[in-house]
Amino acid sequence: MELIGSNISFKYPSAKKYILKDIDIYLDNTKITGLVGDSGSGKSTLCKILSGYIPKFEGRVTLNGEELPKKEFCPVQLIYQHPEKVMNPKWKMSAVLDESWVPDDALLEDFGIQKSWMTRFPQELSGGELQRFSVIRALNPKTKFIIADEMTTMLDAITQVQILDSVLKIVKQRNMGFLIVSHDMDLVNTICDDVIYLKDINKI
Ligand SMILES: Nc1ncnc2c1ncn2[C@@H]1O[C@H](COP(=O)(O)OP(=O)(O)O)[C@@H](O)[C@H]1O
Ligand SMILES: [Mg+2]
């Protein structure tokens, strides 16, 4: 499984300057890759491009040689730093989850999700509890590649390890690709086989 970005350049419509220029990035499911870089350097923007959230950019993104689908479910799933920003506050957690897929009880248990949380609204859960839902949501059986953008930054150390362990177990089981963005070099050095520094691939 190869996720390849070629010649990616991008500038926000409201900005004067490009933040990403001629980026070539190659990722596959044989290793866990870390992406690191200074705050504001464009890591999240690159993640959004690689997972189809920003559809208009210069260059090309392909998964196994094919462009990402625009309308159907995207096999490259992005897990955000702030899950509450991408969940509908008016939906109960069961609906938030069902929008993607219906996981079995064993998986919910793996992620420490309690049944009683299903009938709550996003604002009635803690950051760690919500992040467990957003990870599970991204683990749709159709997902081939996960991009985790600072997904555990807001969490305490124990919750961070629990969530990462659970997700890495499934990534391995299903042979999925995994790119993790983090400013925590200890974490990156512990779990990644490879590290990409954005400044090394950004020809800005
Ligand atoms: N929607 C947006 N519109 C305009 N500028 C943005 C938008 N999102 C991010 N930026 C700017 O783009 C740059 C890169 O942001 P980002 O990709 O979030 O960096 P990082 O994730 O590395 O901190 C920053 O200067 C940020 O202010
Ligand atoms: Mg970011």
Side-chain angles (χ1 to χ4, degrees), residues 78-87 93 97 111 113 117 122 125-139 147-155 159-160 163-164 167:
L78 181 62
I79 300 172
Y80 290 85
Q81 178 176 5
H82 299 285
E84 70 283 358
K85 287 192 185 167
V86 287
M87 288 180 184
M93 294 316 295
L97 202 52
F111 278 84
I113 291 184
W117 298 352
L125 291 169
S126 74
E129 291 162 358
L130 270 189
Q131 197 56 297
R132 291 166 206 261
F133 275 98
S134 75
V135 173
I136 293 248
R137 200 160 67 150
L139 290 174
I147 299 182
D149 185 7
E150 311 255 15
M151 75 167 183
T152 57
T153 312
M154 307 296 282
L155 310 177
T159 311
Q160 175 169 325
I163 294 184
L164 262 176
V167 77

Side-chain angles (χ1 to χ4, degrees), residues 31-195:
K31 46 190 189 301
I32 290 173
T33 309
L35 175 67
V36 295
D38 292 340
S39 174
S41 61
K43 302 181 297 298
S44 294
T45 306
L46 181 59
C47 291
K48 285 178 186 161
I49 289 173
L50 292 173
S51 57
Y53 276 87
I54 294 181
K56 270 188 145 181
F57 60 91
E58 294 164 47
R60 205 167 129 85
V61 173
T62 57
L63 181 69
N64 280 345
E66 288 187 26
E67 287 190 14
L68 302 178
K70 296 229 158 40
K71 292 204 176 103
E72 305 102 77
F73 181 84
C74 185
V76 184
Q77 282 285 301
L78 181 62
I79 300 172
Y80 290 85
Q81 178 176 5
H82 299 285
E84 70 283 358
K85 287 192 185 167
V86 287
M87 288 180 184
N88 189 332
K90 293 183 185 143
W91 287 6
K92 292 197 171 156
M93 294 316 295
S94 53
V96 168
L97 202 52
D98 287 2
E99 190 194 19
S100 177
W101 68 300
V102 182
D104 60 26
D105 286 353
L107 192 65
L108 295 177
E109 215 163 277
D110 252 9
F111 278 84
I113 291 184
Q114 293 171 19
K115 283 259 163 66
S116 62
W117 298 352
M118 290 293 184
T119 51
R120 295 199 206 161
F121 293 102
Q123 63 274 25
E124 295 171 337
L125 291 169
S126 74
E129 291 162 358
L130 270 189
Q131 197 56 297
R132 291 166 206 261
F133 275 98
S134 75
V135 173
I136 293 248
R137 200 160 67 150
L139 290 174
N140 185 305
K142 292 187 224 149
T143 303
K144 304 270 188 279
F145 220 102
I146 299 251
I147 299 182
D149 185 7
E150 311 255 15
M151 75 167 183
T152 57
T153 312
M154 307 296 282
L155 310 177
D156 61 79
I158 292 173
T159 311
Q160 175 169 325
V161 169
Q162 278 173 350
I163 294 184
L164 262 176
D165 276 355
S166 307
V167 77
L168 286 173
K169 193 175 107 189
I170 295 181
V171 163
K172 226 178 234 165
Q173 263 171 15
R174 295 199 202 157
N175 265 320
M176 289 192 285
F178 193 65
L179 174 71
I180 180 160
V181 179
S182 179
H183 59 253
D184 182 344
M185 285 313 292
D186 284 342
L187 180 118
V188 167
N189 290 329
T190 307
I191 70 163
C192 298
D193 305 301
D194 238 349
V195 181

